[in-house]
Amino acid sequence: MSASLREVREARKFGLRELARALEVDPRLLSQWELGIRVPPVEEVARILGYLRVDRTVTNRLLFLAQHVKDPNWLDSNPSDLPAALTAVMQCERSASLITNWSPLIIPGLLQTPDYARALLAASDIKVEEVDVRLVSRLKRQRILSGYDPVRLKAIISELAIREVVGDADVMSDQIDHLLRLAVTSNISVRILPGEVGYHPGKGGMFALYEFPSDPAIVLLEHHHASAFVNELGAIASYRKLVKLLSGKALSEEASRALLQEMAR
């Protein structure tokens, strides 16, 4: 539903702030509705569609979705084909000016090779017939890192994730070579956090911090069967501190490339 709201607005050639002014809605709130981070009330969906003069078929479909969508608690545990949480992630990635990834156990999705991604998906509880759909979606997401005005990405990856064999040795060799190629790209920073570093709060799990040109930052937390979006200011500040802590423990970009090159031999 969130992506559809954005599509109908753009199809009518309305800017986000322009529509927000017309509806007397906070543009940050409207942005969150379109990103799928917050679910708009049914009456607000109806008001948006009415103002944009959307046809009855589309209106009925979107109103049905608005009426039956799960109550938002920043959680989505729907493992279906392309769940709402994944749509929101894609919107965040496309809109962000800077993404900071912390990955303690696996290579971040935006930096994965097709074979590495397929091995991960095949080892999960995703149905076999859905693996290809997820794989294509994941690879399409990586396009934000290339082309005109690419998104900046800061990836802090645990050495454990680099040494953990996903697929087989050939898959991992190709994945490390891929990281080395990306690590010299001007908009991508890859830093490895050594395995011998003791306990730190980052071991609690992976997260992504999305920074936007004009909207408040958002943190994505990911787990096996659920994902959570956080935008409360105090929580965001806590994750910024965690990024600073992890950055202080990680190898420099040059030392990280040297470690990757050593592993690639």
Side-chain angles (χ1 to χ4, degrees):
M1 182 186 70
S2 56
S4 296
L5 284 177
R6 180 171 181 164
E7 288 171 3
V8 296
R9 173 179 60 76
E10 292 178 343
R12 299 306 191 277
K13 302 190 183 304
F14 270 84
L16 186 142
R17 293 185 179 278
E18 179 186 7
L19 180 59
R21 282 196 301 269
L23 298 174
E24 297 183 345
V25 172
D26 187 328
R28 292 174 298 180
L29 182 59
L30 181 57
S31 175
Q32 290 170 358
W33 289 345
E34 292 189 356
L35 288 170
I37 296 164
R38 298 184 68 174
V39 179
V42 176
E43 57 270 20
E44 291 295 341
V45 175
R47 204 156 68 94
I48 291 170
L49 299 177
Y51 186 84
L52 294 176
R53 297 185 179 180
V54 177
D55 67 71
R56 181 175 299 179
T57 300
V58 175
T59 295
N60 289 341
R61 177 173 63 84
L62 293 184
L63 287 178
F64 177 84
L65 289 174
Q67 289 166 348
H68 293 86
V69 72
K70 295 177 181 178
D71 187 47
N73 61 351
W74 305 105
L75 186 66
D76 182 272
S77 57
N78 176 8
S80 63
D81 184 11
L82 285 179
L86 179 54
T87 300
V89 169
M90 295 167 68
Q91 293 283 8
C92 284
E93 289 174 344
R94 286 196 292 262
S95 304
S97 55
L98 171 64
I99 301 172
T100 301
N101 266 132
W102 159 240
S103 297
L105 296 174
I106 62 173
I107 307 300
L110 291 174
L111 303 180
Q112 293 172 5
T113 65
D115 286 340
Y116 183 97
R118 181 182 291 278
L120 281 179
L121 292 168
S124 69
D125 61 356
I126 298 173
K127 295 178 182 178
V128 174
E129 60 269 22
E130 295 176 358
V131 169
D132 284 340
V133 175
R134 295 290 189 96
L135 179 61
V136 169
S137 173
R138 185 165 301 188
L139 297 179
K140 283 183 177 180
R141 288 164 54 194
Q142 297 177 357
R143 295 176 183 174
I144 64 169
L145 299 177
S146 59
Y148 175 74
D149 193 23
V151 173
R152 289 187 298 136
L153 173 67
K154 292 183 178 180
I156 307 173
I157 308 170
S158 170
E159 184 180 347
L160 300 176
I162 304 297
R163 297 193 181 278
E164 179 76 22
V165 176
V166 173
D168 56 31
D170 289 338
V171 170
M172 290 307 300
S173 177
D174 289 344
Q175 178 63 69
I176 291 171
D177 288 341
H178 185 60
L179 285 177
L180 280 167
R181 287 192 294 272
L182 294 175
V184 295
T185 307
S186 61
N187 62 305
I188 299 175
S189 169
V190 176
R191 298 180 62 191
I192 308 299
L193 197 151
E196 65 266 19
V197 171
Y199 175 79
H200 54 80
K203 291 191 175 183
M206 64 191 301
F207 66 86
L209 172 63
Y210 301 106
E211 310 269 5
F212 304 98
S214 57
D215 293 322
I218 294 169
V219 167
L220 168 69
L221 309 176
E222 293 186 88
H223 200 259
H224 166 61
H225 205 264
S227 57
F229 292 92
V230 179
N231 72 347
E232 194 271 321
L233 293 179
I236 296 297
S238 178
Y239 280 99
R240 290 190 196 279
K241 289 180 181 178
L242 182 51
V243 167
K244 187 175 181 180
L245 182 149
L246 295 170
S247 298
K249 293 180 178 294
L251 299 175
S252 66
E253 292 180 9
E254 294 76 12
S256 296
R257 287 196 294 270
L259 176 60
L260 290 171
Q261 288 167 349
E262 180 182 335
M263 295 179 63
R265 292 172 188 159

